[in-house]
């Protein structure tokens, strides 16, 4: 059993002729070599796993190139658990492949070599996709494209995190001719043991600094709750980036993006779980203001008596008379002739309210 190659980790090998995974008719030959390389594979603190063809399978290294694949050894009890990867005539654990002994291999480094592509694959599809994914997460973690723009964050001799970018002008996918209209940070991942150390903040800052001439930068939609917290903290400490960061859907047209800082401010002002079903109680000042508004809008009707003959000149009226209620008889003095007419009507049994009706005409 070998876990290192010439006392170096895989990523430290500078040999440009490093064997790439075999494909096609050579798969059977590669499996024969892997079977003869070791009978068992040991894991720290666990029983040895027997190397058998039934526990081997091939995983595509790239999303857009199915010819290149990796031979992996899976747990006989759990086929979704990858125990080792066969590279350069030896089985290597995923944890071993993402380590380095190079003291200069630290910080963010752009993925360039074939070995670094394998490290990116392990971080994305094995560590994130299998080991550290949430039990409720149904996301399918597919390999990145062969020329995906990516950076790995090396810390304490290990690959601790990574992020990938869809460059402006790149095709959105292989099924349409649409291209990205702005650079978009597509994926970002920090291993559990390296979280809460500011790595996500540093990667977000590096992304912004990588495109200084771009007026707008995108983050792939939808943002997770954790990513929103990172953006909130980052934009508070870097206010100059507030107008530049957008949550964007491919290809990132103006109708497909939302300013992240504005979105965060609106979410704080109008929380999603706020109860808007019950109205806010009104105070005395609110009621007074509402009454004034309704009065100005003419919502309160004004009644006015319309006498048949003027009772007095307008110049003599200093205050508006009290308005009669419809249930009260109007107190209007009657002339002698009118009294005689009403008396005759009463003797004949006729109603005497004709004049009352006239005095109840109103205007609004």
């Amino acid at each position: 059993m070998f876990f290192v190659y010439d006392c170096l980790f895989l990523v430290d090998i500078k040999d440009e002729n490093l064997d790439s995974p075999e494909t096609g008719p050579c798969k059977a030959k590669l499996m024969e070599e892997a079977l003869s390389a070791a009978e068992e594979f040991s894991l720290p603190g666990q029983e040895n796993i027997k190397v058998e063809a039934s526990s081997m399978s091939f995983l595509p290294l790239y999303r857009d190139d199915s010819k290149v694949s990796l031979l992996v050894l899976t747990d006989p009890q759990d086929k979704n658990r990858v125990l080792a990867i066969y590279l350069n005539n030896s089985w290597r654990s995923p944890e071993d492949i993402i380590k380095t002994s190079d003291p200069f291999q630290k910080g963010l480094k752009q993925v360039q070599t074939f070995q670094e592509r394998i490290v990116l694959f392990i971080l994305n599809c094995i560590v994130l996709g299998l080991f550290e994914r949430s039990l409720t997460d149904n996301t399918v973690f597919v390999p990145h494209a062969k020329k995906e723009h990516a950076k790995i964050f090396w810390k304490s001799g290990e690959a601790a995190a990574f992020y990938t970018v869809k460059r402006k002008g790149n095709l959105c996918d292989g099924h349409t001719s649409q291209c990205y209209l702005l650079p978009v940070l597509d994926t970002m991942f920090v291993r559990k043991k390296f979280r809460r150390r500011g790595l996500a903040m540093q990667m977000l800052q590096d992304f912004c600094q990588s495109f200084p001439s771009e007026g707008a930068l995108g983050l792939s939609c939808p943002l997770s709750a954790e990513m929103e917290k990172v953006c909130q903290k980052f934009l508070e400490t870097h206010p100059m980036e507030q107008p530049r960061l957008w949550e964007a859907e491919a290809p990132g047209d103006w109708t497909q993006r939302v300013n992240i800082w504005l979105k965060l401010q609106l979410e704080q002002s109008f929380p999603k779980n706020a109860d808007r079903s019950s109205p806010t109680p009104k105070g005395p000042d609110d009621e007074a203001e509402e009454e004034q508004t309704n009065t100005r809008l003419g919502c309160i009707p004004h009644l006015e008596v319309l006498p048949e003959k003027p009772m007095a000149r307008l110049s003599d009226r200093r205050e508006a008379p009290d308005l009669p209620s419809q249930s009260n008889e109007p107190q209007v003095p009657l002339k002698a002739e009118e009294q005689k007419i009403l008396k005759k009507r009463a003797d004949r049994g006729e109603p005497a309210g004709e004049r009352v009706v006239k005095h109840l005409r109103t205007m609004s």
Side-chain angles (χ1 to χ4, degrees):
M1 226 90 49
F2 299 96
F3 295 99
V4 293
Y5 180 79
D6 292 340
C7 299
L8 292 174
F9 292 102
L10 178 70
V11 75
D12 300 326
I13 301 174
K14 305 302 180 184
D15 186 5
E16 297 296 333
N17 297 320
L18 179 70
D19 294 337
S20 60
E22 299 289 346
T23 58
C26 298
K27 285 185 177 181
K29 180 181 178 181
L30 186 63
M31 291 183 67
E32 290 180 5
E33 292 179 359
L35 287 170
S36 61
E39 295 181 358
E40 294 180 336
F41 182 79
S42 63
L43 291 172
Q46 299 185 22
E47 296 183 358
N48 292 348
I49 304 297
K50 190 175 181 180
V51 177
E52 298 178 323
S54 60
S55 299
M56 297 182 189
S57 60
F58 286 89
L59 299 179
L61 181 60
Y62 305 118
R63 181 173 67 243
D64 55 347
D65 188 354
S66 59
K67 296 179 180 180
V68 183
S69 57
L70 297 174
L71 177 60
V72 301
L73 180 68
T74 60
D75 189 338
Q77 306 300 324
D78 184 3
K79 295 298 182 180
N80 291 324
R81 184 186 177 199
V82 176
L83 301 178
I85 300 174
Y86 188 73
L87 292 168
N88 275 59
N89 304 317
S90 65
W91 288 102
R92 303 166 185 266
S93 67
E95 293 81 0
D96 175 76
I97 297 175
I98 59 178
K99 291 181 179 179
T100 179
S101 59
D102 186 354
F104 298 101
Q105 190 83 334
K106 59 184 179 180
L108 281 164
K109 301 288 184 181
Q110 186 171 340
V111 175
Q112 295 177 327
T113 67
F114 176 71
Q115 296 95 307
E116 291 169 342
R117 290 288 169 187
I118 296 177
V119 173
L120 179 65
F121 170 84
I122 293 175
L123 288 175
N124 179 55
C125 295
I126 297 180
V127 178
L128 171 60
L130 299 177
F131 295 168
E132 299 187 6
R133 68 182 299 177
S134 172
L135 296 177
T136 59
D137 190 355
N138 297 322
T139 305
V140 178
F141 294 87
V142 297
H144 291 108
K146 192 172 185 177
K147 296 183 179 180
E148 188 92 355
H149 179 81
K151 287 187 177 183
I152 296 176
F153 203 122
W154 295 91
K155 187 176 181 63
S156 303
E158 297 182 52
F162 77 89
Y163 80 89
T164 64
V165 175
K166 301 295 185 184
R167 287 184 171 273
K168 184 177 180 179
N170 286 2
L171 289 173
C172 296
D173 52 52
H175 307 289
T176 66
S177 59
Q178 290 184 323
C179 297
Y180 283 94
L181 303 177
L182 72 169
V184 175
L185 195 157
D186 188 45
T187 57
M188 178 186 287
F189 169 64
V190 180
R191 294 170 60 190
K192 286 184 178 179
K193 61 186 294 185
F194 292 99
R195 292 175 187 174
R196 301 187 182 279
R197 300 187 186 182
L199 271 63
M201 287 274 290
Q202 294 182 54
M203 288 190 288
L204 190 54
Q205 183 177 5
D206 182 80
F207 169 64
C208 294
Q209 293 177 347
S210 299
F211 303 93
S213 61
E214 294 289 344
L217 299 175
L219 272 69
S220 184
C221 177
L223 295 181
S224 64
E226 293 77 12
M227 194 61 195
E228 284 192 355
K229 293 179 182 178
V230 173
C231 291
Q232 175 79 33
K233 186 175 180 180
F234 175 79
L235 293 174
E236 286 176 351
T237 55
H238 299 82
M240 294 298 294
E241 303 294 351
Q242 292 175 5
R244 285 219 301 163
L245 287 185
W246 301 75
E247 183 179 15
E249 296 182 18
D253 185 75
W254 282 109
T255 60
Q256 298 173 303
R257 62 177 84 165
V258 177
N259 183 266
I260 296 177
W261 177 251
L262 176 60
K263 175 185 175 183
L264 294 173
Q265 299 310 301
L266 290 176
E267 288 179 353
Q268 290 180 355
S269 301
F270 304 98
K272 296 179 181 179
N273 58 352
D275 184 9
R276 304 180 187 177
S277 58
S278 57
T280 305
K282 297 179 182 179
D285 295 339
D286 298 329
E287 294 179 353
E289 177 65 23
E290 181 178 356
E291 184 177 352
Q292 287 183 353
T293 303
N294 291 339
T295 303
R296 289 194 296 268
L297 295 177
C299 297
I300 299 179
H302 177 70
L303 302 180
E304 183 177 357
V305 177
L306 294 181
E308 289 184 351
K309 296 181 180 179
M311 301 297 295
R313 292 179 299 176
L314 293 178
S315 57
D316 296 334
R317 297 178 58 186
R318 298 185 179 182
E319 294 183 359
D322 294 334
L323 298 179
S325 170
Q326 293 187 16
S327 60
N328 297 329
E329 188 115 356
Q331 303 299 322
V332 182
L334 298 179
K335 298 180 180 180
E337 297 87 329
E338 291 177 339
Q339 291 180 358
K340 293 181 181 180
I341 295 174
L342 291 176
K343 185 177 181 181
K344 291 181 180 179
R345 287 182 179 179
D347 295 338
R348 293 196 300 264
E350 296 178 357
E354 181 179 354
R355 180 167 181 106
V356 177
V357 174
K358 293 181 180 179
H359 279 278
L360 293 179
R361 295 176 185 173
T362 62
M363 291 184 61
S364 61

